[in-house]
Amino acid sequence: MKYFKIFNSCKIVKGASQALIYDLDRVDNSSPIPLDLFEILTDHKGKSVKQIKSFYQNQYDSTIDDYFRFLEEREFIFYCSEIEKESFPEREFNWNKPNKIINSIIDFDRSIPISEYRTFIVDLYSNDCQVVEIRSFVKLTLDEIRSFLKHFDYTSILTVELLSMFNDKVKKSEIVELLDEFPRLKKISFYASDFSETNGVINYSTNKVVPDLDCGNVDPKYFSINLDTFSEAQKHNTCLNCKVSLNKVGQIKNCPSMDKTFGDFRKVSIQNVLDKNEIKEDWKISKDEIEICKDCEYRYACTDCRAFTDEKSNKYSRPSRCNYNPYQGLWKGENGYVDVITRIK
Amino acid sequence: MILIISEQEDYSTERVTKWLDHLHAKYFRLNKEDPIKNLEITFSNNDFSINLYINEEWLLFKEIHSVWYRRGELNFDFDLTFTKNATDSFVKGVQYNLIHEELKTINDFMEHVLINKPSLGSMKWKNANKLLSLLYAQRAELEVPKSIISTEKKQLKTFFKESKKDCISKGVQDVMSFVSDNNSYSYATSKILSKDIEDMSETFFPSLLQHNIDKKYEVRTFYLNGDFYSMAIFSQNDEKTSVDYRNYNVQKPNRNVPYLLPKKIEDKLTVFMNSMELNTGSIDLIVTNNNEFVFLEVNPSGQYGMVSIPCDYELDFKIAKHLISLK
Ligand code: SF4
Ligand code: SF4
């Protein structure tokens, strides 16, 4: 007898109207599945196809055959023999890292001289920060970009991303040189540009953006299906966890768009802020606790914005920029879509 | 203090040291890229001491309570200029050899001292010997692939015929790959067809041939001081990766899933590791369609991250804790 097993890197997450197979090895292979297939995969885990068919009194044999053909073709499952049944334990999804901070956003509008940011960046580095995003409200000059990037020399920060208002004096060829000169710079994007062009690394967009207001958008193109996010999302907020940021006037915040501040970076150290724990308040809110999201199959791939939510007073309120209705399985613009909130009210 | 011998670019070392920081443990990381500029070895009154000067810091062997030998070696960087009157190339050659012999004696002495400290990994196995591991595996009653090393075409042909299926060739030494003239050569396993053997000259450099084993999946297990952390690798669904998963298929990554070895196999592997005097290493096995386990090789300083991450074994953390507990 052959028993089916789901590869451990394929995780099925149930939503209100459908389920999603997260393929953590092969992202593009991820696939929504109907709820009755979800039932087969979970309630009848480890059975043989024959056993499953007879459980349903052989009423749905051809559907079940179709399902298993699909699962085999997409390599979501494999079959094992009796003696191997116990050889494939379930994977756990812990998320433990030694880093005190992992990422940071620094908002900039020239109210503080760039030279003063060096101390904060070194402070981020000594707390193991890996990724920093600099967002400028003004048109950065090439010299300004350079001075910012120089602050990262001799730190172990791996990635710097930059977002700035478009400046027609900064040539694309100069940006290319910049990327060579500063290998940490992995992405540079300009908004309010005269033209739009993108290659993932250097991006120009004509959209007018206000960095701390235009954040937290929910869209499949921002979903991240991968092992790290999936594991982190089990018990953490994947946007705010291990994040320490600065708003444009130098106030330390979890994210620049949130209300709570923890002091001016020129007066208090990150260590000081972390010791008080208050900044960590939202780090452990997971999608499983968020209203509506907890019924959504995308919850371990979607950002959980806590700055813009349906109801400010409710800690577990849904990100207000969501355009998906998990009860219908429909996105805004699709036929029959109803906004979740109106539906509930 | 924990001494870590490693290489600058080794990511696993980076992760483990982060955990050591987190756990407030003291360590000294010595990379093979870090030149040892100065050294002091003193013997006095039934006692001796070794001190090394590295990166503007003195490393005192007395303070080392345990060693993690991850990879690499000690890198002495002394002035090796010869005495002025040594113009004769013969004299130069002799001097050169003498100096290297001297250094080797010092190096071996230090390695000996380090090997005898409580440790994870050992400098003794800086170079794993693939043939020796096959021999010890056989003695531990593990199955190993039928193998031959030969310099003669005739012998390889006979061996090939016996296989009934096909054979694979491997480097006798440790697996490595290198790039030259935009071609990348790899000593990773590749399939040999009878035509390949026909094309060979009558005699050649010693080559290792193994009977190809019909595999259901491969198992890579990380051995850490008696515990096994195993992972099954399903690669045969794809022609490209069906011989050796190191010929990595970018479009379609293999399926890597947590796996439990049968107790019987773990016991044999423990005997094997003990006989090799290894307390850590990555072991590769094949599981055949008949559920037999065939031992392939052990890599004393393998990249365990590729097992730890997909299976959530948190090995960086476990290694850090183990290093702290070593006495
Ligand atoms: S919490 Fe919302 S606004 Fe803040 S960084 Fe995350 S997505 Fe952006
Ligand atoms: S924000 Fe929308 S898409 Fe994202 S998890 Fe919640 S309901 Fe689903």
Side-chain angles (χ1 to χ4, degrees):
Chain A
M1 191 89 87
K2 293 236 170 243
Y3 305 92
F4 89 88
K5 285 256 179 197
I6 307 166
F7 283 113
N8 249 307
S9 39
C10 302
K11 293 315 273 191
I12 319 160
V13 177
K14 190 185 181 201
S17 60
Q18 59 175 10
L20 180 71
I21 301 186
Y22 287 63
D23 190 330
L24 303 172
D25 291 321
R26 308 165 184 170
V27 184
D28 299 335
N29 194 38
S30 301
S31 171
I33 54 167
L35 288 177
D36 42 346
L37 178 52
F38 174 82
E39 185 182 303
I40 291 175
L41 290 171
T42 47
D43 293 1
H44 302 287
K45 194 155 64 183
K47 289 190 185 168
S48 71
V49 178
K50 205 168 146 221
Q51 286 170 329
I52 295 169
K53 283 180 179 168
S54 70
F55 177 88
Y56 292 102
Q57 277 128 20
N58 292 88
Q59 297 252 310
Y60 303 103
D61 285 6
S62 77
T63 315
I64 292 173
D65 281 334
D66 285 347
Y67 281 159
F68 275 89
R69 203 169 310 122
F70 161 79
L71 294 168
E72 283 169 37
E73 263 167 26
R74 302 287 286 267
E75 293 180 13
F76 290 131
I77 58 162
F78 63 103
Y79 296 94
C80 70
S81 56
E82 185 77 42
I83 56 164
E84 288 171 298
K85 271 182 93 173
E86 307 303 320
S87 305
F88 297 93
E90 291 261 326
R91 184 197 193 282
E92 282 172 56
F93 287 91
N94 293 307
W95 189 91
N96 292 315
K97 298 228 163 141
N99 310 51
K100 290 192 205 90
I101 301 180
I102 291 183
N103 62 81
S104 170
I105 299 175
I106 298 175
D107 278 353
F108 175 76
D109 71 353
R110 284 205 191 95
S111 52
I112 298 168
I114 294 177
S115 60
E116 292 190 20
Y117 286 94
R118 168 77 186 168
T119 47
F120 184 73
I121 287 164
V122 171
D123 209 5
L124 284 175
Y125 147 65
S126 48
N127 285 288
D128 324 311
C129 181
Q130 309 272 291
V131 183
V132 177
E133 188 187 0
I134 297 166
R135 306 190 301 196
S136 171
F137 291 65
V138 292
K139 298 177 181 179
L140 289 179
T141 66
L142 199 62
D143 281 344
E144 284 178 319
I145 299 178
R146 239 200 204 94
S147 327
F148 245 128
L149 292 170
K150 282 228 170 77
H151 288 332
F152 292 88
D153 288 351
Y154 310 107
T155 71
S156 62
I157 293 168
L158 296 172
T159 302
V160 180
E161 293 183 3
L162 201 125
L163 174 75
S164 168
M165 188 186 278
F166 176 68
N167 180 352
D168 58 6
K169 303 219 169 51
V170 181
K171 305 263 166 329
K172 193 169 170 197
S173 58
E174 293 170 316
I175 299 292
V176 173
E177 279 172 30
L178 215 59
L179 285 160
D180 271 348
E181 191 182 337
F182 300 96
R184 282 186 188 82
L185 181 62
K186 300 276 157 60
K187 187 172 164 185
I188 181 158
S189 314
F190 298 96
Y191 58 87
S193 156
D194 310 338
F195 59 96
S196 70
E197 190 186 305
T198 168
N199 69 2
V201 180
I202 307 174
N203 310 294
Y204 296 91
S205 145
T206 49
N207 290 350
K208 308 248 178 309
V209 169
V210 183
D212 59 356
L213 292 180
D214 298 306
C215 192
N217 293 328
V218 175
D219 191 291
K221 69 171 181 268
Y222 302 127
F223 285 171
S224 69
I225 294 185
N226 64 59
L227 190 56
D228 198 49
T229 308
F230 191 91
S231 309
E232 189 179 20
Q234 301 302 309
K235 291 204 177 90
H236 303 88
N237 180 301
T238 54
C239 181
L240 296 164
N241 184 33
C242 295
K243 186 189 228 103
V244 174
S245 307
L246 285 186
N247 74 355
K248 50 193 176 187
V249 293
Q251 290 292 322
I252 298 178
K253 293 186 174 212
N254 191 353
C255 117
S257 314
M258 297 180 91
D259 296 337
K260 274 215 184 104
T261 61
F262 305 98
D264 189 297
F265 78 96
R266 290 159 294 184
K267 299 200 185 87
V268 281
S269 72
I270 293 178
Q271 191 58 54
N272 233 298
V273 173
L274 289 175
D275 284 347
K276 288 204 196 89
N277 286 325
E278 226 186 311
I279 196 169
K280 302 179 186 168
E281 215 181 293
D282 292 332
W283 290 11
K284 292 214 164 131
I285 299 181
S286 70
K287 277 278 195 198
D288 289 346
E289 300 170 283
I290 302 297
E291 287 171 6
I292 301 162
C293 296
K294 63 179 164 217
D295 297 324
C296 177
E297 62 279 15
Y298 296 113
R299 65 187 177 277
Y300 304 131
C302 179
T303 347
D304 187 22
C305 181
R306 294 289 93 217
F308 307 106
T309 58
D310 291 334
E311 248 180 296
K312 239 193 156 82
S313 58
N314 178 357
K315 207 175 153 189
Y316 302 106
S317 177
R318 182 194 69 144
S320 56
R321 291 173 179 175
C322 171
N323 292 318
Y324 182 65
N325 183 333
Y327 305 98
Q328 296 182 294
L330 292 177
W331 289 91
K332 191 175 185 170
E334 284 180 319
N335 220 340
Y337 168 84
V338 181
D339 187 88
V340 162
I341 302 300
T342 31
R343 201 187 99 126
I344 285 173
K345 274 174 190 160
Chain B
M1 181 194 45
I2 300 159
L3 173 67
I4 302 171
I5 302 174
S6 185
E7 293 170 358
Q8 222 160 47
E9 297 294 325
D10 187 57
Y11 186 68
S12 297
T13 309
E14 181 74 28
R15 299 311 294 164
V16 171
T17 53
K18 279 259 170 1
W19 278 115
L20 290 172
D21 284 334
H22 188 87
L23 298 165
H24 306 292
K26 262 188 81 183
Y27 62 87
F28 190 107
R29 177 172 175 174
L30 176 53
N31 296 313
K32 77 159 197 247
E33 292 84 359
D34 302 335
I36 297 169
K37 294 267 189 207
N38 202 343
L39 67 81
E40 272 174 17
I41 302 176
T42 54
F43 291 88
S44 63
N45 302 337
N46 302 325
D47 199 12
F48 77 98
S49 70
I50 305 177
N51 304 326
L52 302 179
Y53 192 64
I54 307 143
N55 295 342
E56 272 137 63
E57 233 183 302
W58 279 99
L59 165 66
L60 313 181
F61 273 37
K62 275 229 160 63
E63 291 180 356
I64 300 171
H65 75 73
S66 63
V67 180
W68 183 27
Y69 176 69
R70 168 86 189 119
R71 44 177 60 189
E73 59 227 329
L74 303 179
N75 171 11
F76 295 108
D77 184 30
F78 303 124
D79 189 5
L80 294 185
T81 43
F82 307 110
T83 48
K84 280 202 199 82
N85 49 12
T87 44
D88 189 316
S89 65
F90 174 73
V91 176
K92 262 192 191 159
V94 171
Q95 280 192 349
Y96 184 83
N97 278 326
L98 276 177
I99 286 176
H100 279 267
E101 275 308 306
E102 294 285 320
L103 267 187
K104 190 173 177 311
T105 309
I106 293 173
N107 182 69
D108 290 353
F109 173 62
M110 286 187 193
E111 284 189 9
H112 179 86
V113 173
L114 291 177
I115 284 167
N116 284 303
K117 296 212 181 242
S119 44
L120 182 67
S122 167
M123 296 198 85
K124 209 168 141 184
W125 291 109
K126 273 191 299 199
N127 302 303
N129 187 313
K130 205 179 258 179
L131 303 179
L132 196 61
S133 66
L134 282 183
L135 175 66
Y136 278 118
Q138 220 172 28
R139 286 193 186 152
E141 293 172 13
L142 285 157
E143 215 171 304
V144 301
K146 281 213 172 61
S147 313
I148 186 174
I149 296 174
S150 175
T151 56
E152 272 184 52
K153 180 165 161 179
K154 232 173 47 208
Q155 272 194 301
L156 289 193
K157 264 168 96 171
T158 322
F159 181 80
F160 191 87
K161 276 206 200 95
E162 284 167 12
S163 80
K164 294 192 186 78
K165 242 191 117 245
D166 42 16
C167 283
I168 51 175
S169 82
K170 278 184 170 180
V172 180
Q173 233 324 301
D174 209 6
V175 179
M176 57 179 278
S177 49
F178 55 96
V179 179
S180 117
D181 299 341
N182 300 326
N183 279 318
S184 74
Y185 297 94
S186 160
Y187 278 138
T189 313
S190 53
K191 213 179 243 173
I192 293 290
L193 307 169
S194 72
K195 183 184 164 301
D196 298 325
I197 296 186
E198 285 309 327
D199 289 348
M200 291 170 102
S201 53
E202 290 304 317
T203 59
F204 36 78
F205 191 76
S207 302
L208 170 63
L209 224 60
Q210 286 183 336
H211 283 186
N212 200 5
I213 301 155
D214 239 342
K215 74 173 168 201
K216 191 149 54 168
Y217 43 86
E218 266 181 71
V219 173
R220 170 165 279 200
T221 182
F222 181 71
Y223 178 83
L224 177 62
N225 196 44
D227 292 326
F228 291 89
Y229 299 93
S230 309
M231 173 172 91
I233 300 159
F234 290 80
S235 57
Q236 74 189 148
N237 287 345
D238 215 298
E239 239 330 281
K240 246 194 191 157
T241 50
S242 66
V243 179
D244 183 332
Y245 65 87
R246 265 162 297 200
N247 297 329
Y248 193 64
N249 186 333
V250 183
Q251 279 87 45
K252 214 173 190 184
N254 294 323
R255 292 278 182 220
N256 300 328
V257 298
Y259 185 73
L260 281 175
L261 282 167
K263 179 83 176 46
K264 193 169 87 233
I265 300 295
E266 286 193 354
D267 289 346
K268 288 179 181 179
L269 287 171
T270 307
V271 171
F272 164 75
M273 290 300 272
N274 288 340
S275 65
M276 293 281 289
E277 291 179 58
L278 285 172
N279 51 26
T280 185
S282 294
I283 302 166
D284 287 343
L285 302 152
I286 281 181
V287 179
T288 68
N289 287 321
N290 302 324
N291 295 313
E292 287 157 343
F293 290 78
V294 184
F295 171 92
L296 291 183
E297 61 183 312
V298 61
N299 184 351
S301 51
Q303 289 297 2
Y304 61 83
M306 63 94 70
V307 173
S308 186
I309 295 167
C311 301
D312 197 26
Y313 288 141
E314 308 198 304
L315 292 174
D316 297 319
F317 179 63
K318 288 187 173 119
I319 288 173
K321 290 238 299 228
H322 181 69
L323 291 173
I324 294 170
S325 74
L326 277 176
K327 270 189 196 89

